[in-house]
Amino acid sequence: MRYSQMLLPTTRETPAEAEVISHQLLLRGGFIRKLSAGVYTFLPLGLLTLQKVSAIVREEMNRAGAQEILMPMVQPGDLWMESGRWQHYGPELLRFRDRNDRDCCLGPTHEEVITDIARRELQSYRQLPVNLYQIQTKYRDEIRPRFGLMRGREFVMKDAYSFDADDEGAAKSYDRMRLAYNRVFSRCGLDFRMVEADSGSIGGSYSHEFMVLAENGEDTLVLCHNCSYASNVEKALIKAPAEKPPVSQQLEELHKIETPGKKQVATVAEYLQVPREQIIKTMVYMADEEFVAALVRGDREVQTVKLKNLLGADIVESLTEEQVWTALRLPVGYIGPVDLPLRVVADYEVMSMVNAVAGANDKGFHYEGVNPIRDFSVQIVGDVREIAEDDACPLCGGSLYFKEGIEVGHIFKLGTKYSEAMEATFQDSEGQQQPFIMGCYGIGVSRIVAAAIEQNYDENGIIFPLPLAPFQVILLNLGPNDEILTRAADTLYQGLQQAGIEVLYDDRDERPGSKFNDADLLGIPFRLTIGKTFAKEGKIELRERRSGETTSLPLTEIVEAVQAHIQSALATL
Ligand code: ATP
Ligand code: MG
């Protein structure tokens, strides 16, 4: 492609709206343009990279035996009522009515549609297993679309769905996808980890996420120094304490104490001269339609995903101070479990606290000498706190560390959640009707474009991993008005194309400086420069974007050298 003929609007300024580097560089490099919040157009260069990702995903899905289909984006509300998600999905599901007044939605995911296909088209165990996938535009009315392609409202996803006759088959289907996902992200040239994950609103029993390691990640990974343990922090389990140690301390009497204006754990601790571990932190949430309180030690955080699972709730939401006061007349900052008229979930650790401090449910007051069971009752005891870096590895007891990551893929074992709700059955070998055992497998195709940049950039711009680069080579002609240079550049352009190398030919009448800047910004892995050295010595410069290494070669050797570089770069993946 000739640069002069391409819609490639690069800019020097960093757009104010873009907080993260991938968003800034995608805008500056002319890869994408915003239409509305979380909704983007892919310009030619952006589309090329998106297509690179799609092609890798497609190849690996096909290799794993999945079959490509394409499902509609507009889905009938009836199907979502059958699965029960019309009620439960919440405002991320964009709903509307058609001219016949029928409920519709834009597909945020396709379990309902695929289950409907399965119940119509798959009758016998002999037709199983089946895995169907698509690469398609999804719509989720995200509450906070942000970071450009990272969290859009409209985005491209690969979603696959497996149907099996029994658990054993379903486990095999899951493993096949797990391997395929590892191949996909390796082939994309990304540094990633597979972690244990929560199965989220989709439900089910088993799930893994694939995380690209990057500082701007919205997720936190928990990793072990000693073993292969890797988990999303939401999921990372903390072992129940083996046995409650015998209480050696004298139990104090419960007494109320004035703590004016002391609402934070830290300020209460300082004011009362107690360690934070001595304080019971009481947090109020809305779980589905019910207010609940969660108790953790003062130096810990409530992990709402764990809370949701302990309660068996669909949605757990935090509340503002005002909401809690209006609905419950409870003063946030002074809430505690003593005489609390709510269902209480307590973390294991709280149950072994002795003579603790807790809010008195009275503005400006706390209790001292609070002892579980004696002073308050708890409906559920469990693992409800977020794991900390100083916790022991749940697998081996080793020491842990955290890393930030971007979720680019997610695989779930769904079981029979949808097949039962939607009566999707097949006839087994004994002639009985059985619900399909399902799995679902998503990849954020457009999010990968952003994640790849978050992991690969420098102060001059993007450094694309070769497999995702929109072009493999950028060829700069620094003398577009010089006949000799232009003839050489044209010849090389043709030679590269004939060799099957993807090349962007910068034939513009621009200053060398801006050509170099654009080449760096766009992140194309190899740069060829035809300039002064060619006029003098007949040499062309080959430069690698990532390492900055340069070599100078005669025109006749360039194509082969580039081919060799490309091959060796791909061989490392
Ligand atoms: P997240 O926790 O980031 O919201 P999710 O659990 O809702 O993700 P899934 O429903 O599992 O995501 O979707 C499969 C994949 O689609 C995710 O792993 C992610 O890569 C991608 N994805 C999800 N939501 C978005 C979005 N709003 N914008 C871009 N990609 C997304
Ligand atoms: Mg989501």
Side-chain angles (χ1 to χ4, degrees):
M1 185 81 204
R2 282 176 182 266
Y3 202 135
S4 59
Q5 288 164 17
M6 195 165 184
L7 177 61
L8 211 174
T10 58
T11 55
R12 300 200 124 263
E13 316 73 50
T14 300
E17 70 194 88
E19 289 171 64
V20 296
I21 194 76
S22 61
H23 191 192
Q24 292 168 3
L25 293 175
L26 284 167
L27 289 171
R28 283 189 50 207
F31 291 81
I32 57 168
R33 285 295 178 261
K34 177 169 149 181
L35 178 63
S36 58
V39 180
Y40 292 87
T41 296
F42 284 83
L43 295 184
L45 209 59
L47 185 60
L48 283 172
T49 289
L50 189 71
Q51 286 168 339
K52 286 281 176 88
V53 179
S54 305
I56 292 172
V57 170
R58 183 172 280 122
E59 270 179 41
E60 293 303 330
M61 287 299 115
N62 293 345
R63 185 202 301 272
Q67 300 171 63
E68 187 167 3
I69 59 171
L70 184 57
M71 290 182 269
M73 185 179 189
V74 174
Q75 304 184 8
D78 289 350
L79 278 184
W80 286 72
M81 291 171 203
E82 273 192 64
S83 73
R85 284 208 289 186
W86 191 257
Q87 291 79 15
H88 292 303
Y89 206 90
E92 265 185 37
L93 186 65
L94 186 64
R95 302 155 212 244
F96 54 96
R97 283 170 181 263
D98 68 10
R99 64 161 69 191
N100 297 314
D101 217 25
R102 292 199 183 94
D103 282 314
C104 300
C105 62
L106 289 185
T109 173
H110 280 67
E111 282 78 11
E112 281 76 4
V113 177
I114 200 81
T115 306
D116 184 57
I117 303 252
R119 71 182 170 185
R120 290 167 192 270
E121 309 302 334
L122 301 172
Q123 270 85 44
S124 158
Y125 72 97
R126 288 198 185 87
Q127 293 171 279
L128 303 179
V130 171
N131 189 328
L132 300 167
Y133 79 96
Q134 63 175 345
I135 297 175
Q136 188 242 21
T137 299
K138 296 280 183 277
Y139 194 94
R140 294 183 182 178
D141 211 350
E142 297 273 356
I143 184 165
R144 271 215 297 163
R146 56 186 186 149
F147 302 160
L149 298 184
M150 208 104 92
R151 184 166 298 282
R153 290 197 294 173
E154 196 173 304
F155 59 96
V156 180
M157 196 202 283
K158 184 285 303 180
D159 43 332
Y161 305 88
S162 63
F163 296 87
D164 276 274
D166 52 34
D167 277 331
E168 208 187 324
K172 274 194 198 137
S173 295
Y174 187 87
D175 281 346
R176 217 173 291 130
M177 282 295 111
R178 198 162 46 93
L179 289 176
Y181 271 48
N182 276 292
R183 290 185 59 100
V184 165
F185 301 117
S186 300
R187 281 190 55 193
C188 286
L190 298 169
D191 185 11
F192 69 98
R193 297 283 184 284
M194 182 181 84
V195 302
E196 291 177 20
D198 182 73
S199 46
S201 73
I202 275 179
S205 50
Y206 207 60
S207 118
H208 288 91
E209 285 166 348
F210 291 79
M211 299 280 192
V212 165
L213 301 182
E215 278 161 22
N216 277 322
E218 289 184 294
D219 288 275
T220 304
L221 286 61
V222 184
L223 303 161
C224 178
H225 281 297
N226 188 46
C227 74
S228 62
Y229 181 74
S231 175
N232 190 318
V233 75
E234 293 177 347
K235 166 78 191 279
L237 300 180
I238 299 158
K239 278 200 193 124
E243 219 172 84
K244 212 171 143 180
V247 178
S248 53
Q249 284 153 277
Q250 192 80 36
L251 295 194
E252 287 169 18
E253 262 181 44
L254 187 69
H255 57 277
K256 205 165 166 177
I257 177 164
E258 207 170 342
T259 51
K262 311 295 175 208
K263 294 169 67 176
Q264 311 289 340
V265 169
T267 51
V268 176
E270 200 194 339
Y271 185 70
L272 297 178
Q273 293 290 298
V274 295
R276 282 165 39 174
E277 299 91 279
Q278 193 63 26
I279 297 176
I280 297 174
K281 193 195 272 186
T282 307
M283 305 286 291
V284 179
Y285 295 91
M286 179 68 103
D288 295 340
E289 310 277 270
E290 184 197 359
F291 290 98
V292 296
L295 311 183
V296 292
R297 233 168 59 179
D299 57 329
R300 307 297 196 188
E301 299 299 331
V302 176
Q303 174 43 254
T304 51
V305 172
K306 290 183 177 181
L307 179 63
K308 181 178 77 105
N309 292 341
L310 273 175
L311 291 167
D314 285 315
I315 301 171
V316 165
E317 286 169 304
S318 308
L319 300 166
T320 63
E321 198 168 326
E322 201 183 314
Q323 284 171 320
V324 176
W325 179 252
T326 312
L328 302 166
R329 294 282 151 206
L330 287 170
V332 169
Y334 306 98
I335 304 179
V338 181
D339 299 324
L340 186 66
L342 297 179
R343 194 143 70 112
V344 174
V345 181
D347 186 66
Y348 290 121
E349 277 180 345
V350 171
M351 300 314 285
S352 50
M353 289 171 80
V354 180
N355 299 331
V357 171
N361 301 321
D362 189 358
K363 196 167 176 194
F365 291 90
H366 278 78
Y367 280 124
E368 285 183 321
V370 180
N371 287 286
I373 301 175
R374 187 194 72 178
D375 299 325
F376 64 88
S377 50
V378 168
Q379 280 68 51
I380 302 175
V381 177
D383 172 15
V384 71
R385 74 171 170 94
E386 187 156 297
I387 199 164
E389 251 173 323
D390 58 4
D391 276 308
C393 168
L395 267 191
C396 75
S399 73
L400 297 173
Y401 63 103
F402 286 6
K403 269 198 180 289
E404 305 306 308
I406 301 167
E407 180 195 322
V408 288
H410 199 168
I411 57 178
F412 301 86
K413 222 160 145 183
L414 283 174
T416 56
K417 176 171 165 156
Y418 293 91
S419 47
E420 277 184 13
M422 295 179 63
E423 293 176 26
T425 61
F426 64 96
Q427 197 169 55
D428 70 11
S429 55
E430 260 117 59
Q432 302 292 315
Q433 287 298 313
Q434 302 286 354
F436 296 104
I437 318 278
M438 291 172 59
C440 73
Y441 317 93
I443 289 183
V445 175
S446 50
R447 186 182 278 183
I448 288 177
V449 175
I453 296 172
E454 291 295 336
Q455 199 173 69
N456 299 281
Y457 67 92
D458 64 13
E459 65 280 8
N460 298 320
I462 302 170
I463 308 175
F464 271 117
L466 184 62
L468 303 189
F471 293 96
Q472 296 168 318
V473 174
I474 183 163
L475 167 60
L476 309 186
N477 177 6
L478 299 188
N481 301 314
D482 178 310
E483 211 178 301
I484 294 171
L485 295 191
T486 302
R487 199 177 313 129
D490 285 353
T491 308
L492 185 51
Y493 177 48
Q494 277 173 16
L496 290 163
Q497 285 182 306
Q498 274 159 13
I501 294 166
E502 297 154 5
V503 52
L504 176 62
Y505 177 19
D506 192 347
D507 58 341
R508 295 173 303 165
D509 192 4
E510 291 279 344
R511 290 203 338 270
S514 70
K515 291 195 176 195
F516 287 132
N517 286 344
D518 280 338
D520 277 353
L521 174 63
L522 301 181
I524 296 170
F526 299 104
R527 187 185 80 191
L528 293 169
T529 308
I530 300 188
K532 279 199 195 102
T533 350
F534 186 76
K536 268 192 262 159
E537 302 165 27
K539 293 275 180 72
I540 292 166
E541 184 197 76
L542 166 59
R543 179 175 181 267
E544 203 189 336
R545 172 71 180 87
R546 189 179 296 274
S547 65
E549 273 168 32
T550 58
T551 41
S552 288
L553 297 163
L555 179 59
T556 48
E557 289 174 26
I558 288 285
V559 172
E560 222 171 289
V562 169
Q563 270 174 325
H565 270 84
I566 289 175
Q567 256 150 35
S568 77
L570 292 179
T572 63
L573 298 174

